[in-house]
Amino acid sequence: MPASSTSEDDIHLSGTSSTKKDKEVGPESFARLSENELRSLIESFHDGVALLNDQGFVYLNRSFCELLGVSSSEELQETNIKELLSEHLSKGKTRFLKSIAQVRSRRKAHSDCEITLNSPLGPPRIVHVYLDALRLSERRFLLLTARDITQPKAIEEELLRTHHLASLGSTVASVAHEINNPLAYVTTNVTYCVERLRYLIELLDGNQVSLGRPESLRAFLSPMEQALHEAHDGTMRIAQIVNDFRDLSRRELETDQTISLQGVLASAVHMAENKCGSKVTILADHARIGDVYGNETRLVQVFVNLIINAAQAFQNENPKRNKISLTTQTEGDF
């Protein structure tokens, strides 16, 4: 059966009369699909499928139309891709255009990216788009396959939040325990100083001590000075714990940024020590390395989890023998 006449942008496949041999299933049978059979096949896809040429969209299946919130492919035929972006795309425009340019210029045979589409029927949809160069009937096209990953993304984010909250709960308990130690000797030393000062005031009120004897006053105040130094060390330790905890619990930024990996590791070590410091000794050897691009809070959490997992591998609590070493170094031109 010869192919019917077509416009320049229509895609038709020729077929032949059916015989018993033709009906056998095999890879070559796909080439004998009629235009209607091919359209029916593509329409059955759950993923969105679209063909583009230099002028715009040539064909869109039903799933692609649903992603864009249009009723039929005719509404978007010959629509320029930039017109579509300005109307439907809310996030990922630059990356999407770059991927299209790479495939069209043949710098890449395949590319993919993640975009966010505005939907008139509900909230925005997160879509993973695959782009491939296609040649049909001596003409070049761009094949777009779009998969709606909104729900999987939501599940992934929920799992991340659940994991983060679980880690946070465990960290809260360990931080509370860790704060109790320096808080105890802060309280003890401050109480000691208050009682000693009260005793001194009583002596002065009763004229039982003379300020004219510096050596006596020095001997009286010297233990207080030592106690206040210890109390100060305790408050600094508490401040460090609180600062690390605040960094961990703050809401993560949506965008990545350039960060210091040494700072990330230092924060991770402090937090991990709060959790397992009585069980292991953490040795850090941070060579001078360049900055990295990423999410600081997530990186800290990754390293904290790695250190805690390593600590849990030790059977007994012996920090003199149980040691975890962290070493940073650069390789190649990094």
Side-chain angles (χ1 to χ4, degrees), residues 6-11 53 55 57-59 78 139 141:
T6 68
S7 65
E8 183 178 349
D9 294 333
D10 287 336
I11 305 301
N53 61 11
Q55 284 71 45
F57 284 97
V58 175
Y59 171 75
E78 298 188 2
R139 296 193 300 275
F141 295 89

Side-chain angles (χ1 to χ4, degrees), residues 83 152 187 222 228 253 273 276:
E83 296 176 10
T187 303
S222 181
L228 289 173
L253 298 174
E273 285 177 338
C276 53

